[in-house]
Amino acid sequence: MPELVIKYKNKKTLDVLLDISRYFGFSVILPKKAKPEKEFQLNGVTILAADKTIDVSGLETVFTGKGIDAKQLRSEAWQRAR
């Protein structure tokens, strides 16, 4: 059976395709969403998927009493070199 792949930007396009598929007798098969990989490589660095079981309470002593808020941390430490 011939197959055609249609890429679209707007959800309304999918709705129209589903409507006309009933009249013209073709089927619309939506792709299954792929599960994210557990680990992958990015520029030679292994990236692991997040895990809810990780205990970050040990970091509490690093930040407690320092008077650092998220805005200050972003503005000072997370800037890219331009």
Side-chain angles (χ1 to χ4, degrees):
M1 175 183 286
E3 188 173 307
L4 174 67
V5 176
I6 299 174
K7 295 183 179 183
Y8 56 90
K9 294 181 182 179
N10 194 335
K11 185 182 179 312
K12 290 181 182 180
T13 305
L14 176 61
D15 295 336
V16 170
L17 287 171
L18 290 171
D19 286 340
I20 64 173
S21 70
R22 295 183 203 130
Y23 297 111
F24 291 109
F26 63 90
S27 60
V28 176
I29 301 171
L30 301 174
K32 295 179 181 177
K33 293 186 178 183
K35 293 182 179 178
E37 297 179 23
K38 291 289 182 183
E39 76 177 51
F40 60 93
Q41 294 283 329
L42 179 64
N43 295 333
V45 177
T46 302
I47 308 294
L48 301 174
D51 186 4
K52 294 180 181 179
T53 62
I54 294 174
D55 182 23
V56 294
S57 62
L59 293 174
E60 186 176 344
T61 59
V62 175
F63 293 103
T64 301
K66 303 291 190 221
I68 300 174
D69 63 349
K71 183 177 181 180
Q72 179 186 0
L73 185 62
R74 283 191 298 271
S75 66
E76 294 176 4
W78 291 355
Q79 295 300 314
R80 293 182 182 174
R82 294 181 188 206

